[in-house]
Amino acid sequence: MKRSLALIGFAMLALLIALAPTASVGAAPRPSSYTLPGSAVFPEGVAYQPTTGDFFVSSTTDGSILRGNVMEPAAAPFIAGPGTQFSAVGVKVDDAGRLIVAGGMTGDVRIYDAATGSLIRTFTTGTGGFLNDIAVATNGDLFVTDSFRPVLWRIPASEIHSGAAEPAEAWLDLTSTIAYTAGQFNVNGIVATDNGKRLLVSQSFTSELFRIDVATKAVTEVDLSGEAVAGDGLALLGRTLYAGEPFSGPGQIAKVALSGDLSSGTVLSRTTDPSFMTPTTMAVAAGRLLIVNSQFAQLFGSLPPILPFTISSIPLP
């Protein structure tokens, strides 16, 4: 009888294994880095699409977008750029499968179909700015940082559809709340909380973090107990914030534990890796961080790049 029960148990186990779904992204071994094609990419932004396992990377050289998959070792060209330097910087993917690109010095935000690469719509902000990063709120609204002008731009979800180019909304004037220094990169990375009530932005030049209440537009500096966080790109997982610090030492990722209302935080660790080469932005991808190796230290130092350009993949610190 015991033997029969054992056989039945083994049979049931075999059946469950046979009926089990294919292992999801993250269950199988994944590359620890991804190669980017091209000898002058100097990437900046990265976005991850959980439904496909795809990631998207911006090239600051010509504004093009590369696409890869976390299970494959190399990315490939996806969307041709306008051909001008720093015309693609931060990138994000929303839940509707749209790829959003912050257009740097062009002052444009471009919306593409993430599956086909076709342009859906362009939003303009005029000249004189540097559109750097994007946050996608729970309701689908987009918030875009400007590193040269003290303005936080907004694109309402209701306007993200096919149509002629139109101006983005100058949603929040930061003149009296966050100091901007001329000729420097100021407000940079941005993330939204899961409930959509608050935004976090980094002031990369002064190494500060700020909380923005979406309903009231109140801006408050996050108390880090005197610790400096020179955040470029940001990633938020619950109440854990990851901030890229490209020019701190060899380049590193700061891990910050935030309070429930985001008013304060504690720097828990700073992670570096031999693969890092001026790490700017990052994306959480199924238990790992995809980290852009921009090689901006090479670019701004008028040094040749170290080929190939890569995206690092490390376990969550």
Side-chain angles (χ1 to χ4, degrees):
M1 182 67 176
K2 289 181 180 179
R3 184 179 179 184
S4 298
L5 289 174
L7 289 172
I8 292 171
F10 282 125
M12 292 181 65
L13 178 61
L15 180 61
L16 288 172
I17 292 173
L19 293 177
T22 303
S24 61
V25 169
R30 288 156 53 184
S32 59
S33 69
Y34 302 93
T35 300
L36 305 180
S39 60
V41 179
F42 294 104
E44 205 283 342
V46 61
Y48 174 65
Q49 188 175 34
T51 55
T52 62
D54 289 342
F55 62 89
F56 304 86
V57 181
S58 62
S59 167
T60 59
T61 300
D62 60 2
S64 63
I65 303 297
L66 312 174
R67 181 174 64 179
N69 188 278
V70 293
M71 302 305 295
E72 302 296 332
F78 180 50
I79 300 172
T84 52
Q85 191 175 37
F86 288 104
S87 55
V89 189
V91 291
K92 288 290 187 297
V93 180
D94 68 11
D95 290 341
R98 294 171 297 212
L99 176 67
I100 305 105
V101 178
M105 291 186 292
T106 67
D108 294 341
V109 180
R110 304 189 297 275
I111 315 291
Y112 297 95
D113 185 310
T116 66
S118 60
L119 181 66
I120 297 173
R121 198 167 200 181
T122 299
F123 294 86
T124 62
T125 67
T127 59
F130 189 96
L131 301 188
N132 204 324
D133 201 6
I134 309 135
V136 182
T138 305
N139 65 355
D141 287 356
L142 307 178
F143 294 90
V144 185
T145 59
D146 194 322
S147 293
F148 290 172
R149 296 172 293 187
V151 178
L152 188 62
W153 303 92
R154 184 177 79 108
I155 298 171
S158 59
E159 298 299 315
I160 306 174
H161 53 74
S162 298
E166 71 169 36
E169 174 190 358
W171 182 74
L172 180 58
D173 185 344
L174 301 172
T175 303
S176 62
T177 53
I178 302 180
Y180 269 61
T181 301
Q184 300 295 335
F185 286 91
N186 296 282
V187 170
N188 197 330
I190 183 170
V191 287
T193 56
D194 292 338
N195 60 16
K197 293 182 178 181
R198 295 186 176 99
L199 305 168
L200 282 172
V201 298
S202 61
Q203 215 294 14
S204 56
F205 182 63
T206 60
S207 300
E208 298 170 304
L209 296 174
F210 291 87
R211 181 193 72 179
I212 300 173
D213 186 282
V214 174
T216 66
K217 298 186 179 181
V219 180
T220 308
E221 184 178 353
V222 178
D223 182 3
L224 298 174
S225 301
E227 192 84 34
V229 175
D232 190 309
L234 303 177
L236 185 62
L237 193 60
R239 287 296 178 267
T240 300
L241 180 73
Y242 297 99
E245 296 182 304
F247 297 104
S248 298
Q252 58 198 16
I253 306 300
K255 179 180 180 180
V256 183
L258 297 165
S259 62
D261 63 357
L262 309 186
S263 64
S264 63
T266 301
V267 178
L268 299 179
S269 64
R270 282 185 161 93
T271 299
T272 188
D273 189 88
S275 67
F276 288 177
M277 287 184 281
T278 329
T280 50
T281 61
M282 73 213 72
V284 177
R288 298 180 71 87
L289 279 181
L290 302 181
I291 300 168
V292 174
N293 292 310
S294 69
Q295 296 200 43
F296 284 169
Q298 302 294 111
L299 177 64
F300 300 148
S302 299
L303 299 171
I306 300 168
L307 299 179
F309 286 96
T310 60
I311 301 293
S312 294
S313 174
I314 66 169
L316 286 172

